[in-house]
């Protein structure tokens, strides 16, 4: 099964410099808006990739709007608690830093208190963070092909960690199993933090962790990276091959991020947020900040983001059904 997440984003990409030079007249919001501080909800705890994305945007967006942008962490339920709060807001001053877990995966696994397509609208795509195949230092495999041979020689004896059932880490592992025919046992955790602790401690041997969570451990030598699950190598790990380069084409997985607002939000307010955030993403300091967590910044128009949202929902629905993935 071929997964072309970043290729799809690249196909819909717009020029960053063009966005940065958008005429000021095109950014005029509803009269008098904003009239109070804005909320940018985050569905995970402080310190994770979603939180880092949100704060990189919020720190610059507040001065542009001449209002404070408050990042509020509302962790839980696969990032959907924050999305639920945003969906039910009616003040035109609430946004959510959406992530693929909440907006493309959870709708096919959880019973939500809101309609993911009706109640929220994609406003601006922020970027994507690829998953990385890593093993602990006790695993003798130094390459993907060596790992495949090891797993086939001992079917079911090795465990892989994820941040929870239905996470990108879990789904990435299922894709890898499909593509290679190996057998591994899934050990779901409540988040990437405890999963990484047990990976480094040897309780589990393998993970398909997001770059933002695992890059520090790779660079410190506490875990070994075998492949990046993206179409191209990651700037933070230039010596780590892509999965295709490692001999397993078609296995690609990234956690993507974008700002959503309630669907009733006036179109001119949505456009103001879209245009301002894209200007923020074009700033060198913002790019440096996001590249540090392994992010790829791939701009889209709002219409392209909406189409991407739709196609990702369809893609994950198919993967989840094919692999009988459920929330444990």
């Amino acid at each position: 099964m071929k997964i072309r997440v970043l290729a799809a984003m690249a196909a819909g990409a717009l020029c960053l410099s063009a966005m940065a030079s958008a005429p000021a007249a095109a950014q005029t919001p509803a009269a008098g808006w904003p009239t109070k501080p804005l909320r940018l909800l985050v569905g995970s705890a402080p310190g994770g990739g979603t939180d880092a994305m949100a704060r990189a945007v919020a720190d610059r967006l507040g001065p542009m709007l001449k209002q404070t942008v408050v990042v509020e962490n509302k962790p839980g339920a696969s990032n959907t608690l924050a999305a639920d709060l945003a969906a039910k807001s009616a003040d035109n001053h609430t946004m959510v830093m959406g992530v693929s877990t909440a907006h493309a995966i959870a709708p096919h696994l959880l019973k939500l208190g809101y309609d993911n397509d009706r109640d929220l609208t994609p406003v601006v795509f922020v970027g994507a963070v690829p998953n990385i195949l890593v093993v602990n230092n006790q695993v003798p495999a130094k390459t993907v092909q060596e790992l495949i041979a090891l797993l086939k020689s001992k079917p079911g004896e090795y465990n892989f960690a994820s941040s929870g059932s239905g996470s990108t880490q879990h789904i990435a592992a299922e894709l890898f199993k499909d593509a290679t025919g190996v057998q591994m046992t899934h050990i779901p955790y409540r988040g990437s933090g405890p999963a990484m602790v047990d990976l480094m401690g040897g309780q589990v041997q393998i993970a398909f962790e997001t770059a933002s969570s695992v890059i520090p451990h790779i660079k410190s030598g506490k875990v070994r990276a075998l492949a990046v699950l993206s179409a191209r190598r990651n700037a933070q790990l230039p010596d780590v091959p892509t999965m295709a380069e490692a001999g397993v084409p078609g296995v690609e997985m990234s956690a993507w991020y974008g700002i959503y607002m309630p669907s009733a939000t006036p179109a001119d307010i949505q456009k103001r947020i879209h245009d301002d955030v894209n200007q923020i993403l074009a700033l060198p300091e913002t790019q440096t900040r996001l590249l540090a967590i392994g992010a790829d910044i791939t701009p889209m128009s709002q219409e392209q983001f909406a189409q991407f949202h739709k196609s990702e929902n369809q893609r994950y629905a198919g993967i989840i059904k094919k692999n009988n993935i459920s929330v444990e």
Side-chain angles (χ1 to χ4, degrees):
M1 180 187 300
K2 288 192 174 182
I3 308 301
R4 298 293 183 189
V5 179
L6 294 182
M9 290 188 285
L14 297 177
C15 175
L16 278 171
S17 60
M19 288 181 172
S21 61
Q27 299 178 10
T28 303
W33 184 91
T35 59
K36 63 179 181 178
L38 287 86
R39 304 163 71 203
L40 179 53
L41 303 174
V42 174
S44 59
T50 314
D51 184 70
M53 290 278 188
R55 293 179 190 279
V57 169
D59 288 350
R60 285 284 182 174
L61 184 59
M64 292 179 76
L65 296 175
K66 295 181 173 56
Q67 276 286 357
T68 303
V69 177
V70 180
V71 175
E72 294 185 19
N73 297 87
K74 304 291 183 181
S78 297
N79 293 269
T80 62
L81 292 184
D84 184 89
L85 287 171
K88 294 172 181 175
S89 171
D91 65 358
N92 295 331
H93 288 70
T94 300
M95 308 170 283
V96 60
M97 179 57 75
V99 60
S100 50
T101 307
H103 296 279
I105 298 174
H108 310 293
L109 293 171
L110 303 177
K111 184 176 181 180
L112 303 177
Y114 61 96
D115 188 302
N116 186 52
D117 296 317
R118 182 194 64 210
D119 298 335
L120 289 166
T121 187
V123 174
V124 55
F125 189 82
V126 176
V129 175
N131 292 66
I132 301 173
L133 169 56
V134 292
V135 297
N136 67 32
N137 290 325
Q138 287 72 51
V139 175
K142 300 295 192 296
T143 67
V144 171
Q145 292 304 318
E146 288 179 4
L147 179 64
I148 293 170
L150 179 64
L151 294 174
K152 287 186 174 180
S153 71
K154 298 180 179 181
E157 292 189 23
Y158 282 81
N159 301 326
F160 73 90
S162 81
S163 64
S165 296
S167 62
T168 60
Q169 297 94 324
H170 179 195
I171 294 175
E174 296 296 339
L175 293 176
F176 182 75
K177 288 165 62 179
D178 279 352
T180 61
V182 300
Q183 296 180 36
M184 302 180 289
T185 301
H186 179 210
I187 309 295
Y189 288 80
R190 292 183 179 275
S192 293
M196 287 298 96
V197 169
D198 275 9
L199 179 71
M200 292 182 288
Q203 286 78 20
V204 290
Q205 296 79 39
I206 303 164
F208 293 77
E209 188 54 66
T210 54
S212 55
S213 296
V214 79
I215 281 178
H217 304 307
I218 295 169
K219 291 189 172 183
S220 69
K222 294 177 181 177
V223 297
R224 184 186 313 123
L226 301 187
V228 179
L229 277 70
S230 53
R232 59 179 181 267
R233 294 193 183 198
N234 189 268
Q236 290 292 311
L237 302 168
D239 296 329
V240 179
T242 66
M243 192 67 81
E245 290 173 333
V248 188
V251 178
E252 296 181 11
M253 180 63 61
S254 294
W256 50 260
Y257 303 85
I259 291 176
Y260 288 71
M261 298 185 77
S263 295
T265 304
D268 51 357
I269 292 177
Q270 294 182 38
K271 178 173 174 53
R272 175 67 187 270
I273 293 296
H274 175 273
D275 291 349
D276 282 1
V277 171
N278 272 306
Q279 289 191 49
I280 292 167
L281 294 175
L283 296 173
E285 57 263 42
T286 305
Q287 295 190 13
T288 298
R289 196 166 166 178
L290 296 184
L291 289 173
I293 62 170
D296 276 310
I297 303 171
T298 309
M300 300 181 188
S301 69
Q302 187 173 1
E303 293 75 17
Q304 288 165 338
F305 184 23
Q307 182 56 46
F308 178 71
H309 166 96
K310 180 179 179 180
S311 65
E312 283 290 272
N313 269 272
Q314 294 171 343
R315 181 171 77 90
Y316 278 110
I319 294 171
I320 289 167
K321 182 177 180 180
K322 180 179 184 296
N323 291 280
N324 296 313
I325 295 172
S326 61
V327 176
E328 299 174 5

